[in-house]
Amino acid sequence: MRFTMTRGAVLAVYALLVIVPVTVVVFGSFKTTPELFDSPFGLPSSFSFENYDVVLNEENLAQAFANSVVVTATSVFLTLLLGSLAAYATARIPGWKGWLIFGFLVLGMSVPAQANMIPQYVLFNQLGLLDSRIGLVIINIVVGLPVAVFILGGFMKTLPRETYEAGSVDGAGPFRTYWSIVMPMSMPSLAATAIFLFVIQWNDLLYPLLFISTDSKKTIPLALLDFQGQFLTDYPLLFTGVVIASLPMVVAYVLLQRYFVAGITAGAVKG
């Protein structure tokens, strides 16, 4: 009984730590600057969408939003495609050779992003990929691929060997087995990986800050920096931008929640 009460108290405190900042940000997006500082935790005097109109039309956040959608969606799709192919290959290779290749592919997770910034910048400059959306897509794939292989490979290795053998018996080649058998069975793991990659790449500020210099090619995290000045920050507009930037992540989680939960528990169930 005491443990149950303690756990409930801890969860209640954690819920408050999450709900209070979110409430301040959402309500703050409908307030003026004086109203926000006068009553940061109170309800807005009126739910006016003036801040949203300013952010989307005058501050060019709509263009940044479109850039983030294109870059993130393309990056996540290609990372999942390449990562699932690599994970499938390591799962099909028997013995220590498969584990060796798997370990080599996920080794990139141990390298800090900051350690690669200078050589990446020099390489992208030589290839003419600086200040381009294609450059951001490529770097996102490179950074996200070890994570995708790690998650998907760990799941595919738990699939029974008979799964692959059944495809061969029915006359399916390696690619047909991958596409028609393994991929449908890996949907929970793919969804969990997609959400994980989406959150990382949608919120990424480091690489856009390093590679992008043109205003029309900025992503949302980089565009939000424009709301913060050296001496003054327009918090209502900043909160509005944060709300707009958070909506795709909320929608993605709601749509993929069932698969995400299944993907988290898949390894434990099969283990």
Side-chain angles (χ1 to χ4, degrees):
M1 180 66 178
R2 180 178 300 177
F3 173 75
T4 302
M5 293 179 61
T6 303
R7 183 178 63 179
V10 171
L11 291 176
V13 171
Y14 177 75
L16 285 175
L17 292 176
V18 174
I19 293 174
V20 171
V22 171
T23 303
V24 171
V25 170
V26 174
F27 286 165
S29 67
F30 295 99
K31 297 178 180 179
T32 62
T33 300
E35 186 181 3
L36 177 64
F37 283 103
D38 182 60
S39 179
F41 298 101
L43 291 172
S45 58
S46 64
F47 286 89
S48 172
F49 288 89
E50 181 180 354
N51 288 334
Y52 288 87
D53 181 64
V54 171
V55 166
L56 292 175
N57 296 319
E58 298 182 17
E59 299 295 338
N60 295 325
L61 198 68
Q63 178 63 51
F65 186 91
N67 292 336
S68 288
V69 169
V70 171
V71 170
T72 305
T74 306
S75 301
V76 171
F77 173 77
L78 293 178
T79 303
L80 287 177
L81 177 62
L82 298 176
S84 61
L85 286 170
Y88 172 69
T90 61
R92 288 295 303 265
I93 299 176
W96 62 270
K97 293 181 180 180
W99 284 104
L100 180 63
I101 297 175
F102 176 78
F104 176 77
L105 291 174
V106 302
L107 191 63
M109 296 174 58
S110 63
V111 181
Q114 292 79 5
N116 297 323
M117 288 173 58
I118 295 178
Q120 286 171 347
Y121 184 89
V122 173
L123 177 62
F124 275 55
N125 185 35
Q126 293 175 346
L127 296 175
L129 293 174
L130 290 181
D131 198 28
S132 70
R133 301 177 188 88
I134 296 178
L136 284 182
V137 170
I138 293 175
I139 198 66
N140 283 339
I141 295 173
V142 171
V143 174
L145 198 55
V147 178
V149 173
F150 177 75
I151 299 176
L152 296 174
F155 175 82
M156 291 182 183
K157 285 182 178 295
T158 64
L159 295 178
R161 180 63 55 180
E162 291 78 10
T163 301
Y164 305 109
E165 294 175 353
S168 300
V169 171
D170 292 338
F175 182 79
R176 184 59 183 270
T177 302
Y178 156 81
W179 186 256
S180 300
I181 300 177
V182 176
M183 288 297 283
M185 295 180 66
S186 302
M187 280 302 298
S189 183
L190 284 168
T193 307
I195 293 178
F196 189 71
L197 292 173
F198 181 83
V199 171
I200 292 177
Q201 296 176 1
W202 181 269
N203 292 325
D204 181 43
L205 174 63
L206 176 63
Y207 288 111
L209 187 62
L210 182 65
F211 293 150
I212 301 298
S213 57
T214 304
D215 290 340
S216 62
K217 298 178 182 177
K218 288 182 177 180
T219 57
I220 275 195
L222 188 57
L224 289 177
L225 289 181
D226 295 337
F227 296 109
Q228 183 174 355
Q230 183 177 1
F231 302 106
L232 180 66
T233 299
D234 194 330
Y235 285 103
L237 292 185
L238 179 61
F239 288 170
T240 303
V242 170
V243 171
I244 295 174
S246 302
L247 286 178
M249 289 184 291
V250 175
V251 172
Y253 181 77
V254 170
L255 293 178
L256 299 176
Q257 181 181 12
R258 177 167 60 92
Y259 295 107
F260 180 74
V261 174
I264 293 298
T265 59
V269 173
K270 289 182 178 295

Coordinates of all heavy atoms in Angstrom, one line a residue, residues 9 51 55 59 68 70 95 113 123 129 131 166 169 171-172 177 185 193 206-207 211 227 239-240 250 259 262 267:
A9 N 2.5 9.3 -5.9 CA 3.0 10.6 -5.6 C 4.1 11.0 -6.6 O 4.2 12.2 -7.1 CB 3.5 10.7 -4.2
N51 N -0.9 36.0 -32.9 CA 0.5 35.5 -32.8 C 0.8 34.5 -33.9 O 1.9 34.4 -34.5 CB 0.9 35.0 -31.5 CG 1.0 36.1 -30.4 OD1 1.2 37.2 -30.7 ND2 0.7 35.7 -29.1
V55 N 3.5 34.8 -36.9 CA 4.6 33.8 -37.0 C 4.6 33.1 -38.4 O 5.6 33.0 -39.0 CB 4.5 32.8 -35.9 CG1 5.3 31.5 -36.2 CG2 4.9 33.3 -34.6
E59 N 6.9 36.2 -40.1 CA 8.2 35.7 -39.7 C 8.7 34.5 -40.5 O 9.7 33.9 -40.2 CB 8.1 35.2 -38.2 CG 7.7 36.3 -37.2 CD 8.8 37.4 -37.2 OE1 9.9 37.1 -37.5 OE2 8.5 38.5 -36.7
S68 N 11.4 21.8 -42.9 CA 11.5 20.7 -41.9 C 10.7 19.4 -42.3 O 11.2 18.3 -42.2 CB 11.1 21.2 -40.5 OG 12.0 22.1 -40.0
V70 N 9.9 18.4 -45.4 CA 10.6 17.8 -46.6 C 11.9 17.1 -46.1 O 12.1 15.9 -46.4 CB 10.9 18.8 -47.6 CG1 11.8 18.2 -48.7 CG2 9.7 19.4 -48.3
G95 N 26.0 -16.9 -37.5 CA 27.2 -16.9 -36.7 C 27.8 -15.6 -36.4 O 27.2 -14.5 -36.4
A113 N 28.7 13.6 -32.2 CA 28.5 14.4 -33.4 C 29.5 15.5 -33.5 O 30.0 15.9 -34.5 CB 27.1 14.9 -33.4
L123 N 34.2 18.3 -45.9 CA 33.8 17.4 -47.0 C 32.5 18.0 -47.7 O 32.5 17.9 -49.0 CB 33.5 16.1 -46.4 CG 32.9 15.0 -47.3 CD1 34.0 14.7 -48.4 CD2 32.6 13.7 -46.6
L129 N 27.7 20.8 -51.0 CA 26.4 20.4 -50.4 C 26.1 21.3 -49.2 O 25.1 21.1 -48.5 CB 26.5 19.0 -49.8 CG 26.5 17.9 -50.9 CD1 26.7 16.5 -50.3 CD2 25.3 17.9 -51.8
D131 N 24.6 24.6 -47.4 CA 23.5 25.5 -47.6 C 22.5 24.8 -48.6 O 22.0 25.5 -49.5 CB 23.9 26.8 -48.1 CG 22.8 27.9 -48.0 OD1 22.0 27.8 -47.1 OD2 22.8 28.9 -48.8
A166 N 11.1 -20.5 -44.5 CA 9.8 -20.7 -45.1 C 9.7 -19.9 -46.4 O 9.1 -20.4 -47.4 CB 8.7 -20.2 -44.2
V169 N 11.6 -21.9 -49.0 CA 10.9 -23.1 -49.5 C 9.8 -22.8 -50.4 O 9.5 -23.5 -51.4 CB 10.3 -23.8 -48.2 CG1 9.3 -24.9 -48.6 CG2 11.4 -24.4 -47.3
G171 N 9.9 -20.5 -52.6 CA 10.5 -20.0 -53.8 C 10.8 -18.5 -53.8 O 11.2 -17.9 -54.9
A172 N 10.7 -17.9 -52.7 CA 11.0 -16.4 -52.6 C 12.5 -16.2 -52.4 O 13.2 -16.9 -51.6 CB 10.3 -15.8 -51.4
T177 N 11.7 -12.2 -49.7 CA 11.5 -12.6 -48.3 C 11.5 -11.3 -47.4 O 10.7 -11.2 -46.4 CB 12.6 -13.6 -47.8 OG1 12.5 -14.7 -48.6 CG2 12.4 -14.0 -46.4
M185 N 6.3 -8.2 -40.6 CA 6.4 -8.6 -39.2 C 7.2 -7.6 -38.4 O 7.1 -7.6 -37.2 CB 7.2 -10.0 -39.2 CG 6.5 -11.1 -39.8 SD 7.4 -12.7 -39.8 CE 7.5 -12.9 -38.0
T193 N 11.1 2.9 -34.5 CA 12.3 3.5 -35.0 C 12.0 4.8 -35.7 O 12.7 5.8 -35.6 CB 13.0 2.6 -36.0 OG1 13.2 1.3 -35.3 CG2 14.4 3.1 -36.4
L206 N 21.8 21.4 -34.5 CA 23.3 21.4 -34.7 C 23.6 21.5 -36.2 O 24.4 22.4 -36.6 CB 23.9 20.2 -34.1 CG 25.4 20.0 -34.3 CD1 26.2 21.2 -33.7 CD2 25.9 18.7 -33.7
Y207 N 23.1 20.5 -37.0 CA 23.5 20.5 -38.4 C 22.9 21.6 -39.3 O 23.6 22.2 -40.1 CB 23.2 19.1 -39.0 CG 24.1 18.0 -38.5 CD1 23.7 17.1 -37.6 CD2 25.5 18.1 -38.8 CE1 24.6 16.1 -37.1 CE2 26.4 17.1 -38.3 CZ 25.9 16.1 -37.4 OH 26.8 15.2 -37.0
F211 N 25.3 24.0 -41.4 CA 25.3 23.9 -42.8 C 24.5 24.9 -43.5 O 24.7 25.3 -44.7 CB 24.8 22.5 -43.3 CG 25.8 21.4 -42.9 CD1 25.3 20.1 -42.6 CD2 27.1 21.6 -42.8 CE1 26.1 19.1 -42.3 CE2 28.0 20.6 -42.5 CZ 27.5 19.3 -42.2
F227 N 13.7 34.5 -33.1 CA 12.8 35.1 -32.1 C 13.6 35.6 -30.9 O 13.0 36.3 -30.0 CB 11.7 34.2 -31.7 CG 10.8 33.9 -32.8 CD1 10.7 32.6 -33.4 CD2 9.9 34.8 -33.4 CE1 9.9 32.3 -34.4 CE2 9.1 34.5 -34.4 CZ 9.1 33.2 -35.0
F239 N 6.9 31.2 -28.1 CA 6.0 30.1 -27.7 C 5.1 29.6 -28.8 O 4.8 28.4 -28.9 CB 5.1 30.5 -26.5 CG 5.9 30.7 -25.2 CD1 5.3 31.3 -24.1 CD2 7.2 30.2 -25.1 CE1 6.0 31.5 -22.9 CE2 7.9 30.4 -23.9 CZ 7.3 31.0 -22.8
T240 N 4.6 30.6 -29.6 CA 3.8 30.2 -30.8 C 4.6 29.3 -31.7 O 4.0 28.3 -32.2 CB 3.3 31.4 -31.5 OG1 2.6 32.3 -30.6 CG2 2.4 31.1 -32.6
V250 N 3.4 15.4 -32.1 CA 2.2 14.9 -31.4 C 1.4 14.1 -32.4 O 0.9 13.0 -32.0 CB 1.4 16.1 -30.9 CG1 0.1 15.6 -30.2 CG2 2.2 16.9 -29.8
Y259 N 1.6 1.0 -32.7 CA 2.8 0.3 -33.2 C 4.0 0.6 -32.3 O 4.9 -0.2 -32.1 CB 3.1 0.7 -34.7 CG 2.1 0.3 -35.6 CD1 1.2 1.2 -36.2 CD2 2.0 -1.0 -36.0 CE1 0.3 0.8 -37.1 CE2 1.0 -1.4 -36.9 CZ 0.2 -0.5 -37.5 OH -0.8 -0.9 -38.4
A262 N 3.9 -1.5 -29.2 CA 4.2 -2.9 -29.6 C 5.7 -3.1 -29.9 O 6.3 -4.1 -29.6 CB 3.4 -3.3 -30.8
G267 N 10.7 -7.0 -28.1 CA 11.9 -7.7 -27.8 C 11.7 -8.5 -26.5 O 12.1 -9.6 -26.4

